[in-house]
Amino acid sequence: MNAGPTLERTAQGNALSLRAGGAWTAPFAPMLEKLVAEAEKLAGGKPDVSIDVSEVSKLDTFGAWLIERLRRSFSQGPSEARINGLSANYSSLVDEVRRVTAAPAAEATTITITGMLEQIGRTVAGIFRTVAALIDMLGAVLVAVAKVFIRPRSFRLTSTVHHLEQVCWRAVPIVVLITFLIGCIIAQQGIFHFRRFGADIFVVDMLGVLVLREIGVLLVAIMIAGRSGSAYTAELGSMKMREEIDALRTMGFDPIEVLILPRLLALVIALPILAFLGDIAALYGGGLVAWFYGGVDPEAFLLRLRDAISINHFTVGLIKAPVMAAVIGIVACVEGLAVQGSAESLGRHTTSSVVKGIFFVIVMDGVFAIFFAAVGM
């Protein structure tokens, strides 16, 4: 049984002697903390301080740190507290603890014009790097497509069908549900405001044009960016972390052709299908709300819808879908291949994939809006 720790204090003139005894180990932590805290109150008054540890019967890392803490507390200016009586068994432990230095305090950052301009420059450079990476990936995918046309047997049909099932078939329930609810909300809000002017029937025009041209494909693309884009990034990032992509290159396979092309093709095929189903679900939901809430019976709804929309509205939405799918897939694959060897990097790039995918989808929607307005569609 080890005796409890002690710390005797003896003051003689400008000299202070601290004599430690007993077991300075972690089981006696509360008692040791109290003894050291009381001794530290004397710091600053005595320039000559010695710490005698010759009577310490047992010492571990916790006790060694407390002794070092005492020494640092009484070391001021040119004077330094001395540790005496340290046995050979414990000297290396105390020396190891002494080499531990406190982390420097973080300097407060000041906002300056130069710093702001530097941050803006770094952000712009990051945008250019992102665009360059996307263009590079697009070029690599086009090269892989050319290789498949030259050697059709190299096309991985099984992988494409598997990803198509994951991206398209399994996404149908959530896409139909969300677009149905959005159609209901648009119809309800339209009827609520149009009713003030006695123009309830015009909600059909708004619903048909808005869903077929904009909301349907845009909403589905955003859902796919969050659902499938993040999955692509996580899958490729995990492969990158486990060095599976390097193994493919070592075996003579092109990762773009083996991993990315089937995923990208599945996404390009899936998004128009999901956009079509989303359009139908949104119109169906809007029709139900117009019937039960606005008093527009289904026959009048369909007649008005036929007069309000044309094949151009439907075509515009379907033309956007594959382009948006390609953008989402390229962004997801670029972020997946950029993952480094840590879980933090995987999470950061997965988040970045979703954010960038949604951003580029909205940008492409704006570009398409300007283009179709210019060509009269």
Side-chain angles (χ1 to χ4, degrees):
M1 179 69 69
N2 294 313
T6 59
L7 184 62
E8 299 177 359
R9 302 184 295 273
T10 304
Q12 295 178 352
N14 289 331
L16 175 65
S17 175
L18 301 176
R19 179 175 297 178
W24 281 56
T25 55
F28 299 97
M31 190 181 303
L32 286 170
E33 287 281 0
K34 183 178 180 181
L35 292 174
V36 172
E38 291 177 353
E40 286 178 332
K41 294 178 181 179
L42 302 176
K46 305 291 182 180
D48 186 14
V49 180
S50 64
I51 304 172
D52 186 3
V53 296
S54 58
E55 296 183 6
V56 173
S57 59
K58 193 172 183 180
L59 185 70
D60 62 5
T61 306
F62 180 77
W65 167 246
L66 288 180
I67 291 173
E68 175 62 17
R69 185 175 125 188
L70 272 176
R71 188 192 68 79
R72 294 184 184 184
S73 297
F74 287 98
S75 297
Q76 301 174 358
S79 62
E80 184 174 353
R82 304 182 306 277
I83 299 178
N84 303 322
L86 190 62
S87 66
N89 294 333
Y90 299 134
S91 60
S92 59
L93 179 60
V94 175
D95 291 339
E96 187 69 26
V97 172
R98 183 174 297 178
R99 284 194 288 268
V100 177
T101 58
E107 297 182 358
T109 57
T110 57
I111 300 176
T112 61
I113 299 297
T114 305
M116 293 174 62
L117 293 176
E118 180 184 359
Q119 185 62 35
I120 293 173
R122 291 181 183 276
T123 303
V124 173
I127 293 173
F128 279 112
R129 284 194 298 268
T130 299
V131 174
L134 295 179
I135 294 174
D136 181 65
M137 177 60 70
L138 177 61
V141 170
L142 293 178
V143 171
V145 171
K147 291 180 180 178
V148 168
F149 273 110
I150 296 173
R151 295 180 290 105
R153 290 187 178 181
S154 65
F155 177 64
R156 299 182 175 271
L157 180 61
T158 304
S159 177
T160 303
V161 173
H162 167 72
H163 291 298
L164 186 61
E165 189 262 344
Q166 296 290 328
V167 173
C168 184
W169 176 249
R170 293 182 182 271
V172 168
I174 186 63
V175 167
V176 170
L177 176 61
I178 296 299
T179 51
F180 174 83
L181 295 176
I182 292 297
C184 293
I185 294 169
I186 293 174
Q188 188 273 331
Q189 289 294 305
I191 292 172
F192 177 78
H193 291 285
F194 287 163
R195 182 171 290 170
R196 300 177 182 178
F197 309 99
D200 297 22
I201 193 64
F202 286 104
V203 73
V204 181
D205 301 59
M206 181 189 71
L207 181 68
V209 174
L210 193 60
V211 166
L212 294 180
R213 290 184 67 98
E214 298 292 338
I215 294 297
V217 64
L218 185 61
L219 190 63
V220 172
I222 290 173
M223 284 191 287
I224 291 301
R227 182 185 182 275
S228 302
S230 61
Y232 283 1
T233 302
E235 291 170 2
L236 294 174
S238 298
M239 293 179 186
K240 184 79 179 295
M241 291 170 61
R242 294 195 295 265
E243 300 182 352
E244 295 178 16
I245 295 177
D246 294 334
L248 282 175
R249 291 194 180 97
T250 302
M251 292 186 292
F253 294 104
D254 182 9
I256 304 296
E257 187 176 341
V258 175
L259 299 175
I260 294 177
L261 186 58
R263 287 175 166 82
L264 198 59
L265 184 59
L267 207 57
V268 170
I269 296 173
L271 194 53
I273 299 173
L274 294 174
F276 172 76
L277 295 176
D279 291 345
I280 299 300
L283 292 175
Y284 187 77
L288 287 179
V289 171
W291 185 15
F292 291 111
Y293 181 75
V296 180
D297 60 84
E299 184 178 358
F301 182 88
L302 292 175
L303 289 174
R304 185 68 187 181
L305 184 63
R306 186 184 63 182
D307 295 334
I309 64 174
S310 66
I311 191 63
N312 284 342
H313 297 103
F314 180 70
T315 304
V316 166
L318 287 189
I319 290 175
K320 294 179 182 180
V323 179
M324 290 182 176
V327 170
I328 293 169
I330 290 173
V331 169
C333 294
V334 166
E335 292 296 329
L337 295 180
V339 172
Q340 303 299 320
S342 67
E344 180 185 1
S345 176
L346 179 62
R348 185 172 61 253
H349 283 286
T350 302
T351 303
S352 179
S353 170
V354 176
V355 173
K356 290 180 181 178
I358 294 174
F359 171 77
F360 281 111
V361 161
I362 296 175
V363 169
M364 291 303 300
D365 187 67
V367 172
F368 273 118
I370 297 173
F371 171 75
F372 287 127
V375 299
M377 291 182 64

